[in-house]
């Protein structure tokens, strides 16, 4: 008995889910299972099996739910003899990770501890060490269900980081996970239970962790999935186990990869881009091109460029950096390639410029084309002088001579129709933007302004007692932010109104305060805008921007300045802004525009003008008013004349 | 020879002992005996052992002379400058520093008077110097209570006030500081915090022993911002918060503030820090950090210290023995264990006055004060007998503190009690776990346990 147990212990098993049930890499999932996603000209799975073999994993169970045939033929084509036992588990109609694991449980194949890897993972980690750690832990704690593996990204603003890092709180003494949350850019703070800190002497809070999609599981994980049929994704599982820790008698632990180990799950095009860069720069050593058994005959040229022996480069053709030219490809004369992968059997014409693009095989590109930040699936053809930027071309897509496209997803759908979808709506499930590598470079400036917001906002957060700014002031700041963003991103006015309304209820501001603050915000906005964009702030540029903004926010202002009373507030706002910002010397201009937009009525202006402010004690206020009155005199005169005219 | 010191030491001994009013009703807290020394002896001794020559001791004006006298007797090689502050107002620790600010010419180390421990301060000094910190706080492991020990007075479970202290794992920066009681259920970790410090621990088992090293200009800031009244409760959280509010691009902030018309007085702190730093050392500091390849963190590519000017650090002192005697429980504990700890506290010898007044042999692990008279057939164990105390025959005293001028008459049993000064215990009493207030007389033959016995009038507040 003891001997057989020992033997069972020794077998190291890995389960790889060939599909990740994600559509972020659209339209990749329609062609390949995640595990067969081509990285250069070989599938991702090949890198994974290489790592498994290096770590003495004896058995690999490949769970297939889609594209079963291609997986089967791929596995048959490989020679795993003596390296690893590969078993295919075929199942149809499985739609989530939870389903897959329940299916594996019902088949009763896996008995002991195993490594669960999702098909989109790429890693060179020492799995043996991690598995040993997990086994050690489960000896200490019988309820240890899973060890999560993270890669520490630090606090850098990696492009990879977006939406993918998570924050965990764990017991410092034993690495038990107490809290787990995926971080998104929108989150301002993370809420943790106080009890958590009181129950544990020392809680480690670790953010900037990247999930590697590798999980070390005890045998109890599969039954847990079977018992809780609502666990669909891994997040469900982690959340469920953490909440019902006592009922399920299971605990989750975590481990960090060593700094020199690399792991990156490919969950978006951006990651795909990062992964290829990192492989070329040998971050994934020993998983580099020259080390892979099936990548023989690659020639390493300078600046991280590779060329296969069988491919031909034309005369005067330059591979600038981070390029791979896969077997049997021809590159024409005077073609410049940078940051790109040319798949198997591609043909590039003369004078082509290829930047930051991926040709997944058998792509034909005509002469004088410019291809930037694009992905071309196999069988695409571009005529001569085509220019594309930020496009994804589905398989066998053909572009005619001299066509120009930017930011769109083009493919031939099932009815042989050609579809064009703008990249901002290309996500097949949510109709939102596909996170795409083109935008990585523009991120930095956004982050800066983010930080700025952060500083101000965190002051408002009530960790320590800070003097509370009143709600109205916060409301004003919020309105400023909404309008600013609205103006920059061209958000519809309806949405802005909704946003302002929700802020209004959040800070419990009266309707009169709302109209006052909205007008004040609009008037202050040009200053902010100008100073953000770094232009000079003069009364001329102020007027110009204000005019544009008034036109843009016309609807917003009209919505809040409807009644007679609201106009009073509006005037009060103008007066106050004039007092604080000296650039608003051009009060006349403001009045004229507001009058033209039908925001201020004629009567109201005249009433305001004639209103005596004897009762006002504030000398400053008086001066401002006097000055304003002087400024708008021409308008008033004109209004009076018009009135007389009409009465005549 | 007078020379400029690197640090000035301040012992804050003006506390009223609001957590142990039963004992401090007629006595300055810092004069309560632990062993046969007043409490204040221990921090002073700690400073003396660490090479300090002079110290500022802040005491209440009304007790000033008495304290000075008591300390004088102890023969500590330390020049003490006693500063009296009016006792009437309720002053916080930061208020006190503000009050006596003109005495400071350099960075200060602040100690409470109830700190009973023996450590080498060079660790915290070095850590302060190394990072040119602005404020550094010493933390120790929360002392664990053995259940055996029953404290005198009404039965109550000691509930230590727990602080949540966030310390960056890589740099030891103090980044989060709050009392657990400040929160209801949830604790918010702001995005800025977790983005900047990707790996930190929040400890709930550490005790802030109120030993701080504070940069001179924080004292200057205290003068400007008068709303801060205590170091731990307000100043420390405020400074910690400010260290992340710093930005390396001040222009940007200024721009936005001018437009938003933000409240200006909130930023006084920031202005002062900038000014103070630029005046005193910024130029050299910046120069050094620019030329040095040193970096304190590896999580991102920012410059060392993320270019923060305000830096708070925590120094976790590993010590076998140390606590603050700031409530009755801890005070009783201190007295109970002090007998075993003389060696750790070093230099403090067991003073055993071989006086003719002591006429019994049954004295075990006791400290007996000067001029105490102990009659025949008494048994003393693990107790402290104060000066001029009288213990009459056939009395047993166990685990107790008997302060000055206490009269314990014939045939009493005193177990685990605190008898305050000038109290009298008449014949045949049996007291278990009791506190007898100052000047109180326990009538003959009474039996009490777990009680506070005082004249009601004396106890003003609890």
């Amino acid at each position: 008995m003891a001997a057989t147990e020992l033997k069972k212990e020794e077998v190291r098993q890995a389960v790889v889910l060939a599909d990740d049930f994600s559509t972020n890499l659209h339209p990749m999932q329609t062609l390949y299972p995640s595990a067969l996603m081509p990285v250069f000209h070989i599938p991702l799975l090949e890198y994974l099996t290489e790592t498994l073999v290096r770590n003495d994993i004896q058995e690999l169970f490949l769970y297939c739910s889609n594209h079963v045939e291609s997986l089967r033929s791929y596995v048959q084509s490989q020679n795993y003899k003596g390296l690893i036992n590969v078993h295919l588990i075929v199942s149809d109609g499985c739609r989530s990770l939870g389903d897959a694991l329940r299916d594996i449980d019902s088949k009763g194949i896996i008995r002991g501890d195993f490594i669960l890897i999702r098909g989109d993972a790429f890693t060179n980690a020492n799995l043996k060490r991690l598995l040993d750690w997990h086994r050690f832990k489960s000896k200490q704690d019988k309820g240890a269900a899973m060890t999560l593996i993270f890669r520490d990204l630090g606090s850098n603003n990696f492009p990879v980081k977006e939406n993918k890092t998570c924050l965990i709180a764990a017991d410092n003494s034993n690495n038990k996970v107490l809290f787990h949350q995926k971080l998104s850019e929108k989150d301002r703070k993370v809420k943790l239970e106080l009890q958590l800190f009181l129950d544990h002497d020392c809680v480690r809070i670790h953010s900037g962790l990247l999930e590697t999609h590798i999980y070390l599981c005890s045998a109890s994980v599969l039954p847990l999935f079977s018992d809780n049929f609502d666990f669909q994704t891994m997040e469900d599982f982690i959340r469920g186990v953490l909440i019902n820790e006592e009922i399920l008698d299971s605990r989750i632990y975590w481990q960090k990869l060593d700094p020199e180990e690399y792991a990156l799950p490919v969950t978006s095009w951006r990651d795909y881009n990062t992964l290829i860069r990192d492989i070329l720069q040998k971050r994934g050593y020993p998983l580099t091109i020259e080390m892979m058994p099936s990548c023989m005959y690659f020639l390493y040229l300078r600046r991280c460029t590779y060329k296969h022996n069988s491919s031909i480069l034309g005369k005067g053709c330059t591979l600038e950096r981070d390029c791979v030219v896969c077997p049997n490809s021809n590159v024409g004369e005077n073609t410049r390639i940078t940051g790109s992968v040319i798949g198997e059997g591609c043909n590039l014409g003369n004078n082509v410029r290829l930047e930051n693009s991926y040709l997944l095989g058998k792509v034909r590109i005509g002469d004088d084309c410019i291809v930037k930040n694009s992905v071309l699936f196999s069988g695409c053809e571009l005529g001569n002088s085509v220019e594309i930027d930020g496009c994804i071309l589905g398989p066998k897509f053909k572009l005619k001579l001299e066509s120009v496209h930017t930011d769109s997803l083009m493919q031939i759908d099932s009815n042989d129709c050609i579809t064009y979808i703008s990249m901002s709506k290309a996500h097949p499930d949510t109709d939102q933007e596909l996170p795409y590598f083109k935008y990585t470079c523009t991120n930095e400036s956004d982050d800066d302004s983010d930080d700025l917001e952060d500083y101000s906002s965190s002051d408002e957060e009530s960790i320590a007692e800070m003097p509370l700014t009143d709600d109205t002031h916060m409301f004003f700041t919020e309105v400023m932010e909404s309008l600013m963003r609205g103006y920059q991103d061209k958000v519809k006015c309806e949405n802005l109104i909704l946003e302002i309304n929700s802020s209004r209820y959040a800070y419990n501001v009266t309707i009169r305060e709302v109209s006052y603050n909205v007008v004040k915000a609009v008037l202050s906005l040009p200053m902010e805008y100008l100073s953000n964009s770094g232009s000079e702030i003069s009364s001329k540029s102020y007027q110009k921007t204000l005019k544009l903004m008034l036109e843009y926010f016309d609807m917003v202002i009209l919505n809040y300045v409807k009644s007679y009373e609201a106009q009073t507030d509006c005037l009060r706002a103008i007066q106050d802004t004039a007092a604080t910002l000296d650039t608003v010397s051009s009060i006349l201009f403001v009045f004229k525009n507001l009058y033209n937009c039908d925001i201020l009525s004629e009567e109201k202006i005249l009433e305001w003008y004639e209103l005596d402010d004897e009762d006002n004690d504030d000398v400053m206020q008086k001066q401002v008013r006097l000055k304003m009155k002087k400024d708008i005199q021409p308008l008033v005169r004109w209004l009076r004349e018009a009135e007389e005219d009409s009465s005549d | 020879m007078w020379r400029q010191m690197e640090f000035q030491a301040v012992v804050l001994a003006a506390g009223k002992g609001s957590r142990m009013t039963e004992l401090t009703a007629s006595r300055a807290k810092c004069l309560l005996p632990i062993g046969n020394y007043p409490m204040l002896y221990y921090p002073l001794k700690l400073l003396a052992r660490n090479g300090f020559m002079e110290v500022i001791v802040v005491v209440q004006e009304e007790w000033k002379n008495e304290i000075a006298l008591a300390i004088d007797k102890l023969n500590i090689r330390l020049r003490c400058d006693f500063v009296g502050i009016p006792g009437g107002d309720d002053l916080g620790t930061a208020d006190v520093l503000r009050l006596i600010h003109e005495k400071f010419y350099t960075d200060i180390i602040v100690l409470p008077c109830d700190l009973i421990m023996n450590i080498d301060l060079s660790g915290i000094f070095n850590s302060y110097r190394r990072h040119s910190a602005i404020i550094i706080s010493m933390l120790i492991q929360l002392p664990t209570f053995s259940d055996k020990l029953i404290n005198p007075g009404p039965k109550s479970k000691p509930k230590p006030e727990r602080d949540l202290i966030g310390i960056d794992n890589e740099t030891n920066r103090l980044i989060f500081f709050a009392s657990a009681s400040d929160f209801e259920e949830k604790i918010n970790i702001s995005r800025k915090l977790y983005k900047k410090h990707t790996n930190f621990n929040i400890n709930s088992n550490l005790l802030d022993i109120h030993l701080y090293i504070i940069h001179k200009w924080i004292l200057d800031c205290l003068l400007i911002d008068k709303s801060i009244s205590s170091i731990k409760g307000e100043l420390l959280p405020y400074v910690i918060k400010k260290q992340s509010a710093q930005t390396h691009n001040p222009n940007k902030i200024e721009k936005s503030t001018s437009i938003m018309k933000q409240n200006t007085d909130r930023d006084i702190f920031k202005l002062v820090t900038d000014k103070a730093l630029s005046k005193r050392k910024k130029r050299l500091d910046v120069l050094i950090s620019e030329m040095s390849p040193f970096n304190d963190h590896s999580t991102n590519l920012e410059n060392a210290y993320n270019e923060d000017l305000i830096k708070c650090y925590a120094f976790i002192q590993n010590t076998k023995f140390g606590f603050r005697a700031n409530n009755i429980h801890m005070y009783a504990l201190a007295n109970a264990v002090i007998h075993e700890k003389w060696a750790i506290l070093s230099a403090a010898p067991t003073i055993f006055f071989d006086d003719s007044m002591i006429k019994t042999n049954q004295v075990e692990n006791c400290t007996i004060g000067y001029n105490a008279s102990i009659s025949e057939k008494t048994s003393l164990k693990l107790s402290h007998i104060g000066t001029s105390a009288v213990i009459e025959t056939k009395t047993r005293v166990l685990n107790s503190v008997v302060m000055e001028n206490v009269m314990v008459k014939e045939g009493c049993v005193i177990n685990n009690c605190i008898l305050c000064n000038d109290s009298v215990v008449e014949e045949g009493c049996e007291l278990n776990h009791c506190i007898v207030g100052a000047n109180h007389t326990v009538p003959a033959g009474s039996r009490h346990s777990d009680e506070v016995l005082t004249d009601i009038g004396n106890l003003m507040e609890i």
Side-chain angles (χ1 to χ4, degrees), chain A residues 387-402:
Chain A
E387 279 182 38
I388 54 173
D389 186 0
C391 293
I392 298 177
L393 269 60
K396 302 202 173 63
F397 196 87
K398 295 187 174 65
L399 277 180
K400 282 190 220 120
L401 280 176
E402 293 177 11

Side-chain angles (χ1 to χ4, degrees), chain B residues 357-374:
Chain B
M357 313 280 278
I358 301 167
K359 293 167 185 151
T360 175
N361 316 330
Q362 297 195 34
V363 176
E364 211 179 302
N365 283 333
C366 291
T367 50
I368 296 173
Y370 179 70
N371 206 18
S373 112
I374 294 166

Side-chain angles (χ1 to χ4, degrees), chain A residues 1 32 52 62 142 197 260 269 328 341 352 393 437 454 458 545 565 599 628:
Chain A
M1 184 64 201
Y32 305 99
L52 295 176
L62 190 62
K142 290 279 171 250
F197 297 101
E260 66 270 19
W269 283 112
N328 304 319
V341 173
V352 174
L393 269 60
F437 50 85
D454 274 0
S458 79
T545 339
E565 272 182 344
I599 292 165
M628 283 170 72

